[in-house]
Amino acid sequence: MNVLVTGGCGFIGSNLVKYLRKHRPAWTVVNLDKLTYAGNLENLTELEKDPKHVFVKGDIGNRELIDHLIFQHKVDAIMHLAAESHVDRSILGPEAFIVANVLGTNVLLEAARHAKLSRFLMVSTDEVYGSLGPTGLFTETTPLDPSSPYSASKASADLITLAYEHTFGLDVVVTRCSNNYGPYQFPEKLIPLMIANALADKPLPVYGDGKNVRDWLQVEDHCAALTLALEKGQKGGVYNIGGNSERENIQIVKMILAAVGKPESLIKYVTDRPGHDKRYAIDASKIKRELGWTPAHTFEKGLAETVKWYLDNRPWWERVMSGAYKTYFDSQYAHRLQG
Ligand code: NAD
Ligand code: TDX
């Protein structure tokens, strides 16, 4: 099997590429990534000399390049992860999200259709369902009701993907997962940002009252689910993936402070994210029942391992938080910390 992974230098993508090389050693992985601020080849240093990992720097919106890669590497299937992925950035500037997430996905689907690929796996998100009240879970039949420019762009890509199956017969599978955490997550997202700030004795900016709930999924558990969905998912099928680990943001922040031995006085409640979704919670019973997936990590174990990874890999996150990213980061936090 030759698989084209898009966004393979990002957080989930780089974990997935490594997962595939380890657990599906016969497969060749072609990794197409534009290397935006969120993409980092350093995440894949251990595969530098691996002949079955082919890195190509490029944009998913470049149809000529996609056609060429499919032909040159005899690609059988696409696992599509490349995206602009941060909700706060989509509030600051939606356009990049429409270009990458909506138009970029469509370019890949067109290329897949014309090349008659055997499968197109679309990595969508639970955010397409919108926000839950205090009870209930998202199932695969929950109506889509996205709130932010990010989640609306993902919902568009998700629906266009399903339309390609319905209209053209392309073999697609869509996965909708909850919040991932683990090694190599860019420190703009809640868990790595709070670890990095705590270690630097900087304030930990908690949006609103800190009681918004996310349902946490360890990234390798997610990669295992994506691999099963690619291999065994039903054509046109949608699969929710979640770790059954609902936590309020403030609980997580306090767990991180305790893990690194820093005081809760570092917590700073700041102005809420506009349109902030209150609660996400996933019913993952379909993928468990139909594809035999089970997550291997409890949240407590996974978070402890993640904190340790950030402690052991300080140069990695200090480097990614410097340079152009630092300008964005500092301006955002100067603004937020006033609130
Ligand atoms: P990330 O931001 O860490 O990585 C995204 C990667 O895509 C980067 O390497 C970037 O360089 C690349 N990329 C962006 N635009 C590109 C383009 N036009 N062409 C080629 N490459 C491009 O994101 P992530 O957290 O790893 O998320 C991966 C996927 O999973 C995304 O589709 C995201 O919507 C989805 N997802 C993420 C989470 C989560 O908790 N992180 C949860 C649900 C769904
Ligand atoms: O500084 C912060 N303070 C804070 O309170 C940050 C960065 C976040 N938060 C809150 C907002 C959310 O309620 O923490 C929660 C998690 O925030 P993010 O890490 O930004 O993730 P979220 O907005 O939930 O989206 C993530 O999960 C779904 C990913 O970024 C998406 O790509 C994915 O689709």
Side-chain angles (χ1 to χ4, degrees):
M1 166 93 109
N2 295 337
V3 59
L4 172 63
V5 173
T6 70
C9 296
F11 162 49
I12 302 173
S14 60
N15 279 284
L16 177 66
V17 168
K18 282 180 269 199
Y19 181 92
L20 292 175
R21 290 300 303 122
K22 184 170 172 193
H23 296 277
R24 298 292 182 275
W27 294 12
T28 294
V29 179
V30 181
N31 171 5
L32 173 66
D33 197 297
K34 189 179 172 180
L35 297 182
T36 68
Y37 77 95
N40 188 351
L41 256 182
E42 232 186 289
N43 300 359
L44 293 167
T45 312
E46 68 194 67
L47 298 184
E48 246 168 25
K49 297 202 165 62
D50 182 341
K52 284 182 168 286
H53 169 239
V54 183
F55 169 69
V56 180
K57 183 175 178 192
D59 195 314
I60 53 168
N62 181 345
R63 174 68 191 276
E64 212 178 313
L65 173 64
I66 310 298
D67 286 347
H68 173 72
L69 291 178
I70 290 174
F71 176 75
Q72 185 189 13
H73 298 288
K74 299 186 172 55
V75 167
D76 301 298
I78 294 180
M79 299 177 90
H80 175 36
L81 290 89
E84 289 293 336
S85 69
H86 189 35
V87 173
D88 291 332
R89 283 178 187 259
S90 81
I91 295 166
L92 287 172
E95 192 179 337
F97 287 71
I98 310 304
V99 173
N101 301 359
V102 183
L103 301 177
T105 300
N106 197 241
V107 171
L108 288 171
L109 284 164
E110 272 297 289
R113 170 164 90 98
H114 285 285
K116 299 185 171 48
L117 295 194
S118 64
R119 176 140 284 186
F120 185 95
L121 178 82
M122 168 69 204
V123 179
S124 184
T125 169
D126 61 357
E127 297 202 16
V128 299
Y129 297 121
S131 185
L132 288 166
T135 58
L137 302 171
F138 296 131
T139 71
E140 287 81 358
T141 55
T142 302
L144 270 51
D145 185 21
S147 320
S148 69
Y150 163 71
S151 53
S153 72
K154 291 295 290 186
S156 307
D158 176 318
L159 291 175
I160 295 165
T161 302
L162 292 171
Y164 267 69
E165 194 273 331
H166 193 76
T167 311
F168 304 118
L170 182 66
D171 186 324
V172 310
V173 170
V174 172
T175 58
R176 298 177 183 149
C177 67
S178 57
N179 286 59
N180 282 223
Y181 68 96
Y184 298 103
Q185 186 167 31
F186 199 86
E188 64 188 350
K189 309 283 166 55
L190 180 75
I191 288 179
L193 174 66
M194 296 299 161
I195 298 172
N197 278 17
L199 292 175
D201 292 308
K202 286 189 185 165
L204 274 51
V206 174
Y207 300 166
D209 62 5
K211 291 188 184 300
N212 299 64
V213 172
R214 298 292 183 264
D215 182 355
W216 294 92
L217 172 65
Q218 204 276 347
V219 66
E220 280 169 33
D221 287 335
H222 184 203
C223 294
L226 293 178
T227 308
L228 282 174
L230 180 79
E231 291 176 322
K232 302 204 296 189
Q234 272 199 357
K235 182 180 179 214
V238 176
Y239 296 90
N240 281 353
I241 310 170
N244 195 23
S245 299
E246 284 183 59
R247 298 288 185 283
E248 287 182 348
N249 295 333
I250 190 65
Q251 286 178 281
I252 292 178
V253 171
K254 288 181 178 174
M255 284 171 79
I256 290 170
L257 285 168
V260 299
K262 299 285 181 170
E264 290 188 6
S265 55
L266 284 176
I267 295 171
K268 171 126 173 93
Y269 290 94
V270 299
T271 312
D272 208 354
R273 172 186 279 175
H276 196 175
D277 285 338
K278 187 70 185 172
R279 176 172 166 260
Y280 305 146
I282 279 274
D283 175 350
S285 55
K286 180 179 173 188
I287 191 166
K288 290 180 180 169
R289 189 176 61 246
E290 289 190 11
L291 307 186
W293 173 75
T294 28
H297 295 79
T298 62
F299 184 66
E300 282 64 29
K301 174 173 173 262
L303 186 67
E305 287 171 0
T306 302
V307 170
K308 182 173 182 323
W309 188 88
Y310 280 86
L311 282 166
D312 292 346
N313 291 274
R314 198 167 178 138
W316 178 88
W317 55 264
E318 283 180 344
R319 263 197 301 282
V320 301
M321 288 174 94
S322 64
Y325 172 67
K326 188 171 183 315
T327 313
Y328 158 82
F329 189 81
D330 287 348
S331 69
Q332 278 311 294
Y333 281 94
H335 165 72
R336 286 197 185 284
L337 292 171
Q338 288 161 10

